[in-house]
Amino acid sequence: MLCIEVAVFSPLPGCFSYSWPPEFGEPAVGIRVQVPFGKGTRTGVVLRLSVTLPDSVELKPVADRLDVSPLYDASRIQWVERVRRYYLASSGDAWQTALAWAAHDQVRAFRCPDVAVLAEAAPALAAVFTSRRALSLKTIAARIEPCALRHCLNAACQAGLLEEVLHEPLLQQNEDAQAVLTLTDAQASAVQTLVDARGFQPFLLFGRTGSGKTEVYLRAATESIRRGGRVLVLVPEIGLTPMWIARLQSRFARVAVWHSALTERDRLAVRQHLAQTDILIGTRSALFLPLPDLAMIVVDEEHDGSFKQQDGMAYSARDMAVLLAQQLDIPIVLGSATPSLESWRQALAGFYQRIDLPSRIADHTQQIKPEIIDMRAVDGPVSPALLAAMQQTLAAGDQTILFLNRRGYSPSLQCTACGDVPQCPACSLSLTLHRRAGQLRCHSCGFIRRVPRSCECCGEAALMPMGEGTERIEEWLQQHIPGLRFSRFDRDVVTSHARLSEILAAFERRELDCLLGTQMLVKGHDFPHVTLVGVVNADQGMNMPDFRAGERWWQQMTQVTGRAGRGEKAGRMLIQTRMPDAAWLQRIAEAQAEATMTAELELREMLQYPPFSRWVRVVFSAMRAERADQAAAAFAESCRAIPELMVSGPMPCAMERLAGRFRFEVLLRDTTRQLLPWKLLPVLDSLKVPSGVRRRVDVDPQDMM
């Protein structure tokens, strides 16, 4: 009896042993299998082929073989295992994350060329295929008796008894002639450096907004593809993909896109044509697609927090991309106008080769100096100065971007009689008012309730919106600039990828005068007719209880500044704040970027904060606060036995209650960067998590809330 070791897709640690039925052919490391698990079945991936065991040893047999050949080669399997060990994830969690792209196969469709021939080899399948009409796997599974269905279908396809229907590729090349851009000297030098790279070489492309980083990526990618390789481009959010897709389609014949908004059918089409793809662009999950002959990786806006996965295995796609490039021995380019301090330190230390693009392509806007507007004496969400600037921009036929990183009508609703603020019953947060929908919503757990007519504490009809969100600014614009053609650009309006593309295309065609949006609007978009950018409330996020709050705020403001003046006209930047003397406000000018990051690094080094130490945040949650606290205390006590490890906690999280669960955290700090996260594994394995308690391990945490 042949035994295999399977990483079952579950949070339980370790692998599980199963017997291998001989009718499934030869097993292979890297294929997925369906196995009995508990009272049901689960998917897993074969990680080891064990020795043949005596027939007296009783093991449950594998129920189904899902793949004909391994989904990953040996290098990528080793990469996933290295990542799993670093992020202290169970084998099941790590492999479920890595192979999530292959999970949605219910839309696979099959056609039978000759039912009579199929009936001789597989009568059960032939009974389903009564005609040449294609049937989906979901339909076949509903009509056939339980069996090793996927193995049967795959074997029938290999034998020529069935044909799998291939979908058309999602993207076709845009044949429209594109103007050939002339590179600046800095761009030409950057391209040559990347083209000459051989083997694993990490590059930090540090270029201010509008300096032409995208063109550098495309020229280097063109050369990699000409040599027979493929290129992977990672972007932080799907909001960037329409702009990227348009540029890629004008350069390359075989482009694929991957993100969470794709339908199952679209995902299947990408997978079916992956071997014919030259360049793949996507969000962090695209990193796991097994693009063959990968020759170069590009991580655009590498500083962005969206590259950190918050559910399941808490991985950083940027750091995993660097590790993958090392594993495959290929170059990787990390690009940003505001690099993360982790990458900046790597560049200063010489581990990353730094490439600079110091100047904008549009020479007339080399220095955009933000205009700070003190809002302490202003009544209303928009100052007279910003209103006048918008009216002037409209009269000149140019476009405006308004940035406010808060959706909804207002962050909270308060009773002016007793001061009560309606709270989420499941989270330590006030409810956000969405006035148009007549709802109060929690943006963390999704709780929704109707807006009360009167205060539920004192009974007075004295409820007043406090603060402003994009919906309130939308109402203000309709009242004060009636002729303005504008659209909101936030998660409440952009509910699909089609809607996102529609709004961005309308703005690019100048059918809109203004876009009002949250952070998804300010990342990497290139609108040449935008000459005014206004920040409605710059104080959002500046004083969060997180040591990275200042860094993130500065990056966001600098990126916002970069949306103005990218065409033939100079741009303006107006920032409204009630803290005009804040130190970070004086550092927004892009010319100060290098000095700002270096000064912040010096402060981090003095405090022994990341990247000069390694942190691991472990959060325990339960429906009862004392159970989470007790589990966290037991864990912290075990960690204190590790020499040189600094242990803080247990303590309530900054957001103590989330989705009905009380949360306590233990923060582990290693100033040597030699102990964590590896020394933590024996502690995690030895301590059983109590019933009803959940434990989340976050290595190199980016969000301390």
Side-chain angles (χ1 to χ4, degrees), residues 483-518:
L484 187 71
R485 301 172 301 169
F486 73 97
S487 175
R488 261 171 55 210
F489 196 77
D490 57 31
R491 296 292 178 194
D492 297 323
V493 173
V494 181
T495 55
S496 67
H497 189 65
R499 179 63 176 149
L500 180 147
S501 300
E502 178 187 334
I503 295 175
L504 291 179
F507 193 63
E508 194 167 3
R509 293 193 301 265
R510 306 183 72 176
E511 295 170 4
L512 297 172
D513 303 312
C514 174
L515 276 186
L516 161 65
T518 54

Side-chain angles (χ1 to χ4, degrees), residues 405-409 432 434 441 443 469-470 490-492 518:
N405 202 24
R406 173 76 70 171
R407 59 192 177 98
Y409 189 85
T432 299
H434 289 255
R441 300 178 187 172
H443 288 173
T470 51
D490 57 31
R491 296 292 178 194
D492 297 323
T518 54

Side-chain angles (χ1 to χ4, degrees), residues 426 621-623 655-663 692-694:
S621 66
M623 301 301 290
M655 191 185 299
E656 183 175 2
R657 195 161 176 249
L658 183 65
R661 303 181 70 87
F662 291 91
R663 304 161 70 234
V693 177
R694 296 175 188 167

